[in-house]
Amino acid sequence: MVLDCSINDFNEAKQVIVGGVNSPVRAFSSVGGTPPFIHHAKGVHLYDEDGNRYIDFVQSWGPLLFGHCDSEIEEAIIEATKKGTSYGAPTIAETQLAKLIISMVDGVDKLRFVNSGTEATMSAIRLARAYTKKDDIIKFEGCYHGHSDSLLVAAGSGLATFGNPSSPGIPLSVSKNTLVARYNDIESVKQCFEKSTNIAAIIIEPIAGNMGLVPAQGEFLNAIQKLCDEKGALLIIDEVMSGFRASQSGSQAFYGIQGDIITFGKVIGGGMPVGAFGGRKEIMKLLSPEGAVYQAGTLSGNPIAMAAGITALRKIERDPRLYERLETLANRLMDGFKEAAAQCEITLQTVVRGSMFGFFFSDVPVKNFDDAQNANKELFAKFHYGCLKKGIYLACSPFEAGFICTAMNEEHIDMTINIASEVFKEITYG
Ligand SMILES: *Cc1c(COP(=O)(O)O)cnc(C)c1O
């Protein structure tokens, strides 16, 4: 694999864009090396500026359920573009996409569109605080909900304490309203409720995809829901990644839980920037202009983005076996990786949820952020580079999920397994 053009492109980008990227993970910091600069993509493949071709298991970090340049989505975008790119006025496309989401996901009576997952969770929290008239929130270590101030918070001195900023620039006066609990550990959540009687909401990724793929245990989510009911706190289910990825109705379907506010992003935009948050009528009606909670966006509900989202969700709606097929491919991939690793005496922990997959170089199952951090990062970096060199594009960090798209078939999966097997052998035997 030659990356000469990408190396030049990266150096040039770094002159004018901080770190050469517009979202930090893209810089390949956790695996080293140069990120391929993408020239174009089609179906399962990415093509970089050097002409290398990769099978893409990142799919823009989740949004592209149907792969690159799906013909129906492409056509919807082109048609919408001809009618104008933005009006800042209502369109029926917004109602159509809202109806699709509401019909497919339980617990959403009404919603509002924003431009990113970050905006969705940030607005959900404001709404929860207004509804409960309380200030504190609980989040889980290792869950990512975008980069708004109250959510970029790490555990303070030990878990179940008031948080510390996980980034400079966030005032303690903000982070102290966020308590941090341990994923899959209900005791740590109870401790948060002991520390604070002022808890507005718990926000959680029910299938965590931002510490690697780490699903919550069902009894844990049920216990959280019960605690919220007892204490008068809202449950915010962050489905920005898992929504329309894990199943047609997101992860609530896996667990039989019901969020008070649910946040969306990624897949609902069909590859365009769309986020949304929704929930029960009596909560949503607090939002301006019906209520007093302010929230707005110049490009929110953008007609091109809505057209892409509508097309994606209609494709999902008319294909009831979609997630089953994607899950079969994901299982085939993970079983293949696991077996190939085992032949080199490497133990992999693998997880699949619908079209999402994840693997850890760890001898023990990964249930929380500590476990995820204890997995072997050096081995991951070597594996990542080995695969990249041979045309397999995996997420460039051990703390990210992988994604199957409908453009993939068994051949793509088996080719990937064969390459993974070669890479495991190279790593082990040199
Ligand atoms: C990606 C993600 C976000 C943030 O969405 P952006 O569109 O990147 O702002 C929030 N929550 C979860 C669970 C995510 O995976």
Side-chain angles (χ1 to χ4, degrees):
M1 178 187 61
V2 178
L3 280 179
D4 292 348
C5 295
S6 288
I7 290 168
N8 281 339
D9 294 335
F10 196 34
N11 286 334
E12 201 176 328
K14 281 193 268 194
Q15 306 297 313
V16 287
I17 296 168
V18 180
V21 291
N22 286 304
S23 198
V25 71
R26 298 178 197 168
F28 270 43
S29 314
S30 50
V31 290
T34 300
F37 267 52
I38 305 307
H39 178 268
H40 70 283
K42 179 91 187 160
V44 303
H45 289 117
L46 286 176
Y47 298 80
D48 71 15
E49 293 283 351
D50 288 276
N52 300 304
R53 188 179 84 162
Y54 310 90
I55 298 183
D56 180 15
F57 289 100
V58 177
Q59 294 294 330
S60 190
W61 304 96
L64 304 178
L65 189 64
F66 300 99
H68 298 278
C69 304
D70 171 79
S71 57
E72 289 172 75
I73 295 174
E74 192 176 89
E75 194 183 312
I77 290 173
I78 292 167
E79 287 311 308
T81 307
K82 289 180 187 164
K83 298 200 274 177
T85 54
S86 181
Y87 320 117
T91 63
I92 55 175
E94 292 153 85
T95 311
Q96 285 167 354
L97 185 55
K99 279 186 174 172
L100 278 164
I101 295 172
I102 288 168
S103 72
M104 289 157 96
V105 182
D106 285 344
V108 183
D109 298 330
K110 283 192 183 182
L111 56 73
R112 175 154 291 167
F113 290 113
V114 291
N115 303 291
S116 66
T118 296
E119 279 181 80
T121 56
M122 178 184 81
S123 308
I125 281 175
R126 184 177 305 145
L127 192 55
R129 284 173 164 156
Y131 183 80
T132 57
K133 303 193 173 66
K134 293 175 182 172
D135 292 335
D136 293 341
I137 56 172
I138 299 174
K139 85 172 281 287
F140 293 91
E141 209 183 17
C143 282
Y144 177 69
H145 307 287
H147 64 90
S148 69
D149 283 356
S150 357
L151 292 167
L152 274 194
V153 170
S157 49
L159 278 168
T161 54
F162 295 92
N164 283 329
S166 66
S167 157
I170 295 170
L172 267 173
S173 59
V174 172
S175 68
K176 76 175 176 46
N177 287 116
T178 304
L179 290 94
V180 183
R182 182 183 281 124
Y183 204 66
N184 282 323
D185 175 0
I186 195 65
E187 284 311 311
S188 72
V189 186
K190 288 183 181 158
Q191 282 167 27
C192 290
F193 279 107
E194 280 161 21
K195 292 252 162 60
S196 168
T197 52
N198 194 27
I199 290 175
I202 298 181
I203 183 166
I204 187 165
E205 283 180 83
I207 299 174
N210 289 285
M211 49 173 144
L213 188 62
V214 183
Q217 290 152 356
E219 59 274 28
F220 171 67
L221 287 174
N222 289 327
I224 282 181
Q225 175 145 51
K226 210 164 137 243
L227 263 180
C228 281
D229 291 346
E230 275 169 32
K231 308 282 186 185
L234 297 188
L235 178 58
I236 303 173
I237 306 261
D238 184 356
E239 297 259 50
V240 170
M241 185 186 290
S242 49
F244 304 100
R245 264 285 167 199
S247 81
Q248 183 172 66
S249 43
S251 51
Q252 294 190 118
F254 274 92
Y255 295 110
I257 51 161
Q258 180 70 85
D260 296 296
I261 305 177
I262 302 156
T263 56
F264 302 94
K266 301 196 169 109
V267 171
I268 67 161
M272 298 291 288
V274 182
F277 60 106
R280 292 203 307 277
K281 262 192 214 98
E282 71 264 26
I283 300 172
M284 294 308 289
K285 77 172 187 205
L286 294 193
L287 212 54
S288 182
E290 285 186 37
V293 179
Y294 193 68
Q295 188 282 325
T298 301
L299 289 167
S300 293
N302 172 270
I304 301 173
M306 294 293 109
I310 290 165
T311 311
L313 292 204
R314 282 190 182 145
K315 283 170 76 84
I316 291 171
E317 196 182 39
R318 67 171 190 243
D319 186 355
R321 313 281 304 264
L322 176 82
Y323 292 94
E324 213 178 293
R325 288 200 312 279
L326 295 173
E327 182 158 288
T328 303
L329 291 177
N331 276 321
R332 189 182 180 98
L333 183 70
M334 285 300 93
D335 291 348
F337 272 25
K338 201 170 182 154
E339 204 182 301
Q343 281 174 6
C344 296
E345 276 153 47
I346 295 170
T347 313
L348 271 195
Q349 303 294 329
T350 61
V351 195
V352 166
R353 285 291 183 279
S355 63
M356 309 162 76
F357 68 84
F359 57 93
F360 288 100
F361 289 91
S362 165
D363 292 332
V364 293
V366 173
K367 297 194 300 292
N368 57 44
F369 190 54
D370 284 338
D371 296 342
Q373 285 201 309
N374 286 334
N376 191 327
K377 297 184 201 69
E378 292 74 35
L379 214 49
F380 176 87
K382 282 184 193 165
F383 179 68
H384 176 270
Y385 182 64
C387 288
L388 187 75
K389 257 190 345 195
K390 294 175 193 285
I392 305 298
Y393 194 86
L394 294 166
C396 55
S397 152
F399 303 113
E400 302 287 349
F403 301 100
I404 302 290
C405 69
T406 60
M408 287 174 186
N409 58 32
E410 287 183 357
E411 266 172 65
H412 298 119
I413 300 297
D414 291 347
M415 193 191 303
T416 304
I417 294 168
N418 285 338
I419 288 172
S421 173
E422 287 170 25
V423 175
F424 284 130
K425 284 181 190 138
E426 283 170 16
I427 293 173
T428 313
Y429 308 112

